[in-house]
Amino acid sequence: MVYPSAGAWCTSHFLGERFVMGKENILKKTWVMVLLATLCQALWGVVFPVIKKSYELFSISGVGSTLLFASIRFMVAGVILLLIDTVMEKRFPVLDKKGCKSVLMLGTIQTGLAYAFQYIAMMSAASINCSILNGTGVIFSTIIAHFLFKDDKMTVKKAIGAVLGFIGVLVCFVWGGKLEGFSLKGEGLMLLSILTFVTGTNISRIITKGIKSIVVSGYNLLIGGVELFVLALLLGGRIGNGGLYGIICLLFLSFTSCVCLYLWTALSSANSVSKVAVFQCVNPITGAIAASLLLGENVFQPKYIVSVLLVTISIIIITKGGKKIAK
């Protein structure tokens, strides 16, 4: 998933504080915020095409092998985040009983389940379709948050943005008046993955309060990764030798799961959420470009151009908020 993880919703400003220089937080500088936020979302946008390319390089086929590849990515990312916290705090992050239950639930839902659905879906779904559908994560998260949080209600602008986003998705799959390019085992499972992930994100805002975001994210990825690893072994998962290019792809995917998440969370802590979140509009654009360059997908068809444009505008409108229509 290329959607900010649960750690981004924690109340701690731990990450942002790490970038404080004197009395001024460098992440509050507009040019720094714009540069890093754009970079994070641009890299996250490339994730889907890189995953598809990795399937080719590692000769991955079958659910077990797919989940094994995913588990390696998330276990590596989780360990890196926990080691970063250990180095900065000079001690390994240990959680109390309540914290353990929280990260166990979150890791199972947001990494274990959500990414299992996603990686299986990508075995048959086109990368460009996944990038477009991924934009609905912002929409679903907004809708779910409306019912869970009093301070995060639906607004007129958010509603308009959500409608535009769904229209963008429909354009992608119903261009010409008939349903094309949509399958339940591919795009349908991808939507289920997105719903599972954003549900976990909103739940995390309740169950992970008081835990540092980097720790939540680290355990989230590690726990989910271990669960995927065990399941993959039970299903007989095997992956081939991906060569140097394959290793680079795997390291890139792990990098986006931890380093980009670290930076994004720090930006969200140092600036207003809407100011940073608007850069999620970069995601579907870079995803489309990467699908063309890495996989040779014909993304310059009219339906894809219109769809990506509508989804991008939808994200911008939603993250800008507006007047509440419900209390």
Side-chain angles (χ1 to χ4, degrees):
M1 189 66 58
V2 286
Y3 198 73
S5 184
W9 297 108
C10 293
T11 56
S12 171
H13 289 271
F14 171 76
L15 293 180
E17 291 170 353
R18 289 292 173 177
F19 288 87
V20 173
M21 297 178 64
K23 293 184 178 180
E24 183 180 13
N25 189 331
I26 191 173
L27 295 183
K28 290 183 178 292
K29 291 181 175 292
T30 301
W31 72 269
V32 174
M33 185 273 292
V34 171
L35 177 64
L36 293 181
T38 302
L39 176 63
C40 287
Q41 288 299 326
L43 292 176
W44 270 325
V46 179
V47 163
F48 286 135
V50 172
I51 291 175
K52 294 281 284 187
K53 191 66 179 179
S54 297
Y55 287 175
E56 298 177 13
L57 295 171
F58 286 97
S59 301
I60 294 174
S61 62
V63 174
S65 299
T66 301
L67 297 183
L68 180 60
F69 178 75
S71 71
I72 295 173
R73 171 194 176 187
F74 297 120
M75 286 191 294
V76 170
V79 168
I80 291 174
L81 281 178
L82 293 177
L83 286 178
I84 290 174
D85 183 70
T86 299
V87 171
M88 291 191 297
E89 294 297 302
K90 295 184 174 56
R91 64 183 181 84
F92 187 79
V94 178
L95 301 176
D96 57 22
K97 186 176 181 180
K98 182 180 179 181
C100 288
K101 289 182 178 179
S102 297
V103 296
L104 178 61
M105 178 189 299
L106 193 61
T108 299
I109 295 174
Q110 202 171 44
T111 299
L113 280 176
Y115 282 109
F117 295 148
Q118 182 191 104
Y119 273 68
I120 295 172
M122 293 198 67
M123 293 175 64
S124 56
S127 178
I128 179 62
N129 291 349
C130 293
S131 294
I132 291 171
L133 288 173
N134 190 58
T136 62
V138 177
I139 301 173
F140 289 133
S141 183
T142 300
I143 294 173
I144 293 173
H146 170 78
F147 295 101
L148 292 181
F149 306 102
K150 294 181 179 179
D151 61 346
D152 201 358
K153 294 298 184 180
M154 181 64 73
T155 68
V156 174
K157 285 187 177 180
K158 288 180 181 179
I160 293 174
V163 171
L164 282 178
F166 284 127
I167 291 175
V169 172
L170 287 175
V171 166
C172 178
F173 298 108
V174 195
W175 188 264
K178 59 179 179 179
L179 183 65
E180 289 183 339
F182 187 94
S183 68
L184 291 178
K185 66 177 181 179
E187 288 75 10
L189 203 55
M190 179 60 67
L191 278 174
L192 181 58
S193 167
I194 295 168
L195 274 170
T196 303
F197 190 91
V198 299
T199 298
T201 298
N202 280 286
I203 291 176
S204 74
R205 296 170 65 180
I206 301 173
I207 67 174
T208 61
K209 287 183 177 180
I211 308 177
K212 291 186 298 185
S213 53
I214 189 173
V215 175
V216 172
S217 298
Y219 277 116
N220 178 355
L221 294 168
L222 180 59
I223 290 171
V226 170
E227 291 174 344
L228 289 173
F229 183 76
V230 172
L231 181 58
L233 293 183
L234 292 175
L235 294 174
R238 296 287 187 277
I239 58 176
N241 183 358
L244 179 61
Y245 193 12
I247 294 175
I248 291 174
C249 287
L250 181 58
L251 290 176
F252 170 81
L253 292 171
S254 296
F255 175 86
T256 57
S257 292
C258 57
V259 178
C260 286
L261 174 60
Y262 183 97
L263 290 174
W264 185 264
T265 307
L267 289 169
S268 299
S269 296
N271 302 275
S272 65
V273 175
S274 61
K275 189 176 181 180
V276 177
V278 70
F279 289 93
Q280 292 180 65
C281 68
V282 174
N283 195 300
I285 297 174
T286 55
I289 295 173
S292 175
L293 296 177
L294 294 178
L295 305 174
E297 294 183 6
N298 183 12
V299 302
F300 296 105
Q301 299 177 48
K303 68 174 183 178
Y304 289 137
I305 295 175
V306 174
S307 184
V308 169
L309 181 61
L310 287 174
V311 170
T312 300
I313 294 174
S314 166
I315 293 173
I316 294 173
I317 293 175
I318 290 174
T319 53
K320 285 298 182 180
K323 186 178 179 180
K324 294 182 180 180
I325 60 177
K327 294 183 178 181

